[in-house]
Amino acid sequence: MSKLLSRSLKRLMIYAGLVLVCSIPAYYFIFSRLWQYELNEHNVVITAEASREDSYLIIAFVTGLTVLFFALLIVGLILVNRRISNRLWQPFYRSLAQIKGFDLHRQQPVEFEKTDIDEFTELNQSLHKLIAGNVAVYNQQKEFADNASHELQTPLAIIQSKLDLLLQSQSLTDEQYNIIEEANKALARVTRINKNLLLLTKIENSQFMEKEQIDLSALLENTLPVLASFAEDKQLTLQTDIHPGVVVEGNKILIEILLNNLVTNAIRYSPANDVIAIRLDSQSLSIANAGTAPLKQEQLFKRFSSISSQTPGTGLGLALVKQISNRYGWQIDYAFSDRLHTFTLTF
Amino acid sequence: MKILIIEDEAALAQSMGAYLSDENYLCEFAATYKEAIDKIDVYEYDCILLDLMLPGGDGIKILEEIKAQQKQDGVIIISAKNSLEDKIKGLQIGADDYLTKPFHLSELAARIYSIIRRKQFGNANIVTQNELSINLPAKTVTVNDQPVTLTRKEFDLLLYFISNKNKVISKSALAEHLSGEIADMLDSYDFVYVHIKNLKKKLQEAGCSNYLKTLYGTGYKWEI
């Protein structure tokens, strides 16, 4: 067990020392050759001029030799460093691959290999702790979503059943009946909000991870007739331009929710006797309905931002759309022009 | 007709019992896993309402037990969990229907009615009431032997009223029934009125007496 830094440093120092030791005989050899050459050439007549010429020569040789060894040192260091790094960082890369391959949803156990380097051992231990913590929180959240669902739905069911029973009383006045109906409506809304909130939580918790190839064109064609009857109730015309064979990858339940929410929104907020235009091609899906004023774009996809007395929706429909688009890396945009609200989903 | 209500929430079980008892159903109750198993072992029921989360055991096991004993009892799962996996699992094991809490009692009555009719009459499943006759499998209606053409929603509504005879049904319950899974569509309940008006008109024009009464402005009751 040793530190990462001391390992690589040791090897690099050994190499540098080796190069320096090698340079000593090289210097000795070059200088003795130089000396001999000078003796032969000039017969050691030391004049001021010759001595200056000598010093230039020596400087040139020393510089050349030093540059050579420096280059040797650098190239060697790079090579040695690369080799050491490759070997030293192996455990790190293996841990990295493990983390990359980890999927919180599938929760397969992560086993890090043992290494004899302090830092990596420490890193692996911390990662292990982190992942175990995340898995625990994830499971807790999932359980919470399930429990919250149960805990809330049952009292809601009791209220609902009691209202239905109350309705059967013989001596109800119109006023009392209307009070019950108002309560019924509010209850239906609470139920929907609860359902959608749970759905959002589930998507955030990375449930619904199963993916398949979905023929979006066919799915949309199947969805529209169901919704069309609601459009008819408002005398709306559905104008469709659906290119066949548009295939996306995703979870069927989520994609259905996404389509449903976008189309129902258009039906809900469109004035009566108008047209809803739905267009699907290989790049995008766009749904346009008439409107009078642009909506607040930055608020649109936030939870509960759209809720007001005029819009009795759950305030979660578009948040769900956004969440699902994010999951698949799709882009959802809103634009208002020519008195048309247009939502465009780009795959 | 005997119905077993397996539900640990006493207030809810009591509401269901009170509503169903009026409709000539005899209701028995089980509040725990053990009670439920004991009753199923000994008695036959026409329909069993099964809550999945019970003290002492998983409701799915009760369903498996019913199927293992090859009982013909109809089973409706009533669950607080609106999870698709649970629903598919339940129906695969052999439940006849799946209802998510909260629900309208009239919806429950309609589901029970349809299961009991299907189990007992099979393809000869024709409901007759004086001049009115409804063929459930074929989804056709005749008045004085003359066929009446109804849309799918009108037929649905008629059946809903028939299975909730002499009960006041609120407009919101009808809206929820008609919109089915797309509950987000429920902001305006006006569409209910249109369908009911058409249904009433068609039946009356065919010579059917007016069984469908309007109460308190927006409530409805099928009176016989």
Side-chain angles (χ1 to χ4, degrees):
Chain A
M1 198 64 86
S2 59
K3 294 260 185 207
L4 189 61
L5 197 64
S6 56
R7 272 204 176 199
S8 52
L9 203 61
K10 203 166 89 191
R11 275 162 219 215
L12 290 176
M13 277 166 72
I14 291 173
Y15 174 74
L18 225 68
V19 171
L20 287 179
V21 169
C22 288
S23 73
I24 295 170
Y27 275 104
Y28 173 75
F29 176 73
I30 291 290
F31 276 103
S32 58
R33 283 298 293 270
L34 194 65
W35 191 242
Q36 251 169 21
Y37 166 79
E38 289 287 297
L39 280 179
N40 295 344
E41 189 92 334
H42 303 285
N43 295 323
V44 205
V45 183
I46 307 284
T47 60
E49 199 186 331
S51 141
R52 199 177 309 127
E53 195 187 313
D54 266 0
S55 12
Y56 285 141
L57 204 65
I58 293 171
I59 288 171
F61 269 97
V62 169
T63 311
L65 212 60
T66 310
V67 167
L68 179 78
F69 274 103
F70 184 69
L72 208 65
L73 195 66
I74 292 296
V75 171
L77 282 182
I78 290 172
L79 290 177
V80 170
N81 191 33
R82 189 176 295 167
R83 250 197 82 204
I84 295 175
S85 296
N86 263 345
R87 273 228 330 267
L88 270 185
W89 289 88
Q90 263 324 309
F92 176 76
Y93 288 120
R94 278 196 286 266
S95 300
L96 197 62
Q98 286 266 10
I99 302 166
K100 273 186 185 161
F102 177 71
D103 179 354
L104 192 55
H105 176 65
R106 274 183 275 141
Q107 296 193 9
Q108 76 280 45
V110 176
E111 284 302 326
F112 295 110
E113 307 178 18
K114 281 213 156 53
T115 104
D116 52 357
I117 295 168
D118 285 344
E119 282 91 339
F120 292 153
T121 311
E122 211 172 307
L123 178 73
N124 286 351
Q125 279 167 355
S126 308
L127 282 175
H128 202 86
K129 231 165 99 182
L130 188 67
I131 288 174
N134 272 331
V135 168
V137 171
Y138 174 84
N139 287 338
Q140 221 176 345
Q141 279 269 9
K142 258 201 329 201
E143 219 171 275
F144 172 77
D146 280 353
N147 289 344
S149 159
H150 184 238
E151 296 309 328
L152 271 175
Q153 312 266 63
T154 304
L156 287 176
I158 295 173
I159 299 172
Q160 183 71 81
S161 69
K162 296 299 172 195
L163 286 177
D164 286 341
L165 276 187
L166 191 56
L167 209 56
Q168 308 309 323
S169 316
Q170 292 300 321
S171 52
L172 276 188
T173 63
D174 279 13
E175 198 187 341
Q176 286 165 335
Y177 171 86
N178 284 329
I179 292 173
I180 297 174
E181 259 309 62
E182 291 300 314
N184 260 332
K185 281 186 191 174
L187 193 59
R189 192 156 149 194
V190 173
T191 306
R192 275 181 288 146
I193 292 176
N194 185 37
K195 247 182 213 171
N196 280 347
L197 263 183
L198 282 167
L199 199 57
L200 264 174
T201 320
K202 280 184 180 174
I203 298 172
E204 274 169 4
N205 286 344
S206 305
Q207 295 180 38
F208 303 105
M209 284 308 265
E210 308 78 25
K211 271 194 192 174
E212 55 185 305
Q213 296 285 327
I214 293 165
D215 186 339
L216 203 58
S217 316
L219 190 61
L220 192 57
E221 299 270 16
N222 289 336
T223 309
L224 288 179
V226 185
L227 298 171
S229 61
F230 294 99
E232 274 163 33
D233 290 325
K234 276 180 92 172
Q235 272 88 46
L236 292 168
T237 315
L238 292 185
Q239 204 176 69
T240 57
D241 174 14
I242 299 171
H243 289 215
V246 177
V247 175
V248 294
E249 198 184 6
N251 183 286
K252 189 144 188 237
I253 303 171
L254 294 187
I255 308 275
E256 270 176 357
I257 292 169
L258 187 143
L259 290 181
N260 260 343
N261 282 2
L262 281 176
V263 180
T264 26
N265 257 358
I267 295 175
R268 177 187 292 142
Y269 294 112
S270 178
N273 301 310
D274 225 303
V275 175
I276 293 172
I278 299 169
R279 190 171 185 289
L280 172 72
D281 60 33
S282 58
Q283 261 91 52
S284 65
L285 166 73
S286 69
I287 295 174
N289 69 283
T292 45
L295 304 167
K296 284 191 197 122
Q297 178 135 27
E298 66 280 8
Q299 293 290 314
L300 213 49
F301 296 103
K302 288 193 184 140
R303 293 173 191 199
F304 299 123
S305 62
S306 70
I307 231 156
S308 72
S309 50
Q310 287 97 40
T311 59
T314 61
L316 290 169
L318 284 175
L320 268 168
V321 168
K322 178 87 178 160
Q323 190 83 38
I324 296 169
S325 316
N326 282 352
R327 156 84 63 95
Y328 298 119
W330 301 340
Q331 174 88 24
I332 178 85
D333 291 305
Y334 163 77
F336 182 79
S337 65
D338 293 337
R339 307 184 82 74
L340 276 181
H341 299 291
T342 309
F343 285 89
T344 310
L345 182 69
T346 317
F347 314 123
Chain B
M1 297 285 169
K2 264 173 78 182
I3 293 182
L4 177 63
I5 300 173
I6 305 172
E7 164 67 62
D8 61 319
E9 202 69 45
L12 184 59
Q14 186 224 335
S15 298
M16 294 194 275
Y19 192 90
L20 296 171
S21 301
D22 292 349
E23 311 220 352
N24 297 323
Y25 294 122
L26 186 70
C27 295
E28 289 190 14
F29 300 90
T32 62
Y33 179 83
K34 200 180 162 302
E35 263 180 71
I37 290 284
D38 288 350
K39 290 215 154 147
I40 286 164
D41 280 344
V42 184
Y43 306 106
E44 301 278 328
Y45 296 93
D46 294 289
C47 192
I48 296 172
L49 309 179
L50 175 61
D51 183 5
L52 286 187
M53 287 185 161
L54 286 170
D58 186 355
I60 285 283
K61 294 227 175 66
I62 297 178
L63 180 60
E64 281 165 345
E65 176 70 21
I66 296 169
K67 292 298 148 186
Q69 294 186 15
Q70 311 221 319
K71 294 214 170 200
Q72 293 307 306
D73 316 22
V75 178
I76 300 178
I77 292 177
I78 293 173
S79 173
K81 278 200 214 162
N82 184 22
S83 102
L84 198 74
E85 295 95 63
D86 278 4
K87 191 169 180 171
I88 292 171
K89 195 172 156 199
L91 295 178
Q92 263 172 357
I93 296 176
D96 296 277
D97 210 340
Y98 189 102
L99 198 57
T100 310
K101 288 180 189 173
F103 49 84
H104 282 281
L105 291 175
S106 47
E107 181 69 37
L108 177 69
R111 306 268 184 120
I112 294 173
Y113 184 81
S114 119
I115 285 172
I116 291 181
R117 294 286 315 186
R118 200 170 65 224
K119 293 249 171 208
Q120 294 187 343
F121 298 95
N123 279 331
N125 193 352
I126 297 172
V127 182
T128 321
Q129 185 193 306
N130 304 332
E131 69 275 27
L132 181 69
S133 154
I134 306 167
N135 186 329
L136 290 173
K139 291 192 189 282
T140 54
V141 178
T142 57
V143 175
N144 295 323
D145 296 327
Q146 292 302 307
V148 183
T149 316
L150 297 180
T151 65
R152 205 179 57 84
K153 278 190 179 164
E154 287 156 9
F155 183 83
D156 239 27
L157 277 174
L158 177 61
L159 207 59
Y160 200 81
F161 288 126
I162 296 276
S163 45
N164 283 286
K165 281 187 288 253
N166 297 319
K167 284 273 175 2
V168 180
I169 301 173
S170 64
K171 199 164 150 191
S172 49
L174 292 172
E176 223 153 306
H177 174 72
L178 284 181
S179 59
E181 295 278 297
I182 322 158
D184 263 8
M185 216 55 228
L186 286 175
D187 335 324
S188 141
Y189 295 162
D190 296 339
F191 68 96
V192 173
Y193 174 72
V194 180
H195 294 296
I196 288 183
K197 199 180 72 184
N198 290 341
L199 173 66
K200 257 183 151 172
K201 206 172 115 197
K202 282 183 184 176
L203 289 179
Q204 256 166 16
E205 277 171 4
C208 186
S209 7
N210 186 19
Y211 299 113
L212 187 55
K213 300 286 188 326
T214 308
L215 289 112
Y216 318 117
T218 60
Y220 299 94
K221 191 178 192 178
W222 188 268
E223 266 181 357
I224 52 162

